[in-house]
Amino acid sequence: MPVANGSRVPRVGIVGAGQLARMTVQTAIPLAVQVRLLAASADDSAAQVCRHVAVAQPTDFPALAAFAAGCDVLTFDHELVEARHLRDLERAGRVLRPSAETMAIAQNKARQFALWRKAGLPSPEKRAVSSAEEIVAFGDEHGWPVIVKAAQGGYDGRGVWVVPDARAAAELWLQALDRGLSLLVEQRVAIEHEIAVVLARRPGGETVVYPVVKTVQRDGICHELHVPAPIDPTLAAEAERIARAVAEAMKVVGILAVEMFVSEGRVLINEIATRPHNSGHFSLGGALTSQFENHLRAVLDWPLGRIDLLAPAVVTRNVLALSAGTNLHAGITAALAIPGVMVHLYGKQPRPGRKVGHVTALGDDLDDARERATRAVEALGGIIWERGAEREEAHP
Ligand SMILES: Nc1ncnc2c1ncn2[C@@H]1O[C@H](COP(=O)(O)OP(=O)(O)OP(=O)(O)O)[C@@H](O)[C@H]1O
Ligand SMILES: [Mg+2]
């Protein structure tokens, strides 16, 4: 059911005001949808470009409840609202899309895995642990090194550790205790490709699925998207099947991104997000309807837009600042002079390794698009990972 009755401007509340919300605001304009933001800070990326901004932490329930009361539907640009608060909002009659139940799963990698297991979906073996000994037992059983992850709150590789042996497991355990993290241990798999499937789903189940994306990750951070992914069509079909099954199992409304590994000829789920996602950035300018617009349409229960690519190949490269002194605008004219390149800057203060924007290039093939996207990142002063530029410290 559409959440607004059609007689007035629909008000979509987004909890969080990062670049995902900023690009959602951008796509709300032609639909005359009023986006309202709950921003942690008045200078957040999306708060800079939106008229209706409330400032509060996502953990501040009274502020969240007051914010929700002024919106027809509430959606999210991160996973930081506590699940019990989301349930309380629903009990108070607020419309959450995705729902509190879906968000509770999306927030926690252990809950995600429990669902994949129940639904018969493939993912590297993993287990929630409550002692260093349990990490060691898992490593002895499944082989070393193992991957240890924070069950909740990790992003851009923060909260992911490669653990080579029992001694490292003991050290990590102590650090995690200090930080109050709950951990899971995961089998390290051999990765041929990292891929992602982004889809949009309406409350009644209508779904559109974007072409499979190959992602290039370094140090747990996504640097590039290549679309369509240059992989065997059988694997691409399997990836799409898995993503659709995840969407049904989680009763997703809005965008779902499923990060996957191609490993030894199989497709395995890594993790998912139930909101617009970095893996879908190519769609803004690279596809007929962007993930941001389709997220809005889905949460309003409006017809979804077509996802066809606008060129045979689309490549997106993230712009990660080289240093705090990186001046993105010094290079913008050079970047824009490259044909077929679109620049998206997030209005974020550069810091070494911080994701401050992305560029998308349309091309006749992936090499062609990638070459132009790379030149644009270079012009803007971003890190080109393959040239050995080291990020000093990453703070997204
Ligand atoms: N089981 C695994 N085996 C091998 N490599 C892995 C495994 N799990 C994760 N990785 C590597 O670590 C990266 C980050 O892992 P993951 O996506 O779980 O973390 P994250 O910090 O939540 O990332 P995001 O920024 O996408 O939210 C993956 O993209 C992959 O390169
Ligand atoms: Mg990830």
Side-chain angles (χ1 to χ4, degrees), residues 60-328:
D60 176 348
F61 185 70
L64 178 66
F67 174 74
C71 305
D72 298 306
V73 57
L74 204 64
T75 191
F76 307 91
D77 125 316
H78 55 56
E79 289 83 26
L80 302 176
V81 181
E82 288 179 48
R84 65 193 169 102
H85 288 167
L86 297 173
R87 279 191 295 270
D88 288 346
L89 289 174
E90 279 182 347
R91 279 196 200 108
R94 305 294 167 226
V95 180
L96 272 53
R97 288 181 173 165
S99 69
E101 190 192 347
T102 301
M103 287 301 288
I105 299 165
Q107 282 175 351
N108 185 297
K109 287 174 169 165
R111 277 184 222 135
Q112 291 178 20
F113 186 58
L115 184 59
W116 313 153
R117 191 165 255 175
K118 196 168 137 209
L121 297 170
S123 181
E125 194 51 41
K126 56 186 82 72
R127 185 181 299 158
V129 284
S130 47
S131 69
E133 289 70 38
E134 287 177 28
I135 299 175
V136 175
F138 184 94
D140 289 345
E141 198 179 321
H142 294 278
W144 296 91
V146 293
I147 308 271
V148 174
K149 298 184 178 181
Q152 222 155 318
Y155 59 94
D156 282 348
R158 307 208 292 175
V160 176
W161 302 273
V162 180
V163 175
D165 51 32
R167 201 188 143 132
E171 266 171 41
L172 182 62
W173 182 257
L174 287 178
Q175 285 170 25
L177 271 187
D178 279 348
R179 293 169 56 192
L181 295 176
S182 62
L183 297 184
L184 52 88
V185 58
E186 185 169 314
Q187 185 180 21
R188 187 165 87 149
V189 297
I191 299 176
E192 273 150 60
H193 296 290
E194 295 203 41
I195 59 174
V197 174
V198 177
L199 62 77
R201 183 175 182 276
R202 282 175 77 177
E206 184 201 330
T207 300
V208 292
V209 186
Y210 288 92
V212 180
V213 182
K214 176 183 158 78
T215 64
V216 178
Q217 317 263 348
R218 285 292 172 276
D219 298 334
I221 294 191
C222 177
H223 282 257
E224 302 182 41
L225 311 175
H226 300 182
V227 201
I231 59 168
D232 185 325
T234 323
L235 290 174
E238 170 68 354
E240 178 175 334
R241 180 194 72 81
I242 290 171
R244 284 182 184 274
V246 167
E248 288 309 308
M250 291 184 74
K251 304 188 216 69
V252 166
V253 175
I255 292 289
L256 167 73
V258 185
E259 295 184 7
M260 300 182 235
F261 302 134
V262 175
S263 176
E264 295 167 347
R266 296 181 65 211
V267 178
L268 306 173
I269 300 173
N270 173 27
E271 57 158 349
I272 59 92
T274 54
R275 51 165 167 75
H277 188 264
N278 196 161
S279 305
H281 285 1
F282 72 91
S283 62
L284 187 61
L288 268 173
T289 315
S290 74
Q291 62 166 344
F292 307 101
E293 180 171 337
N294 266 334
H295 187 71
L296 278 177
R297 293 191 191 202
V299 303
L300 287 164
D301 202 8
W302 288 357
L304 301 174
R306 285 177 58 167
I307 47 64
D308 316 49
L309 293 183
L310 296 175
V314 182
V315 170
T316 293
R317 285 195 74 136
N318 284 337
V319 181
L320 276 63
L322 263 172
S323 72
T326 300
N327 180 350
L328 296 162

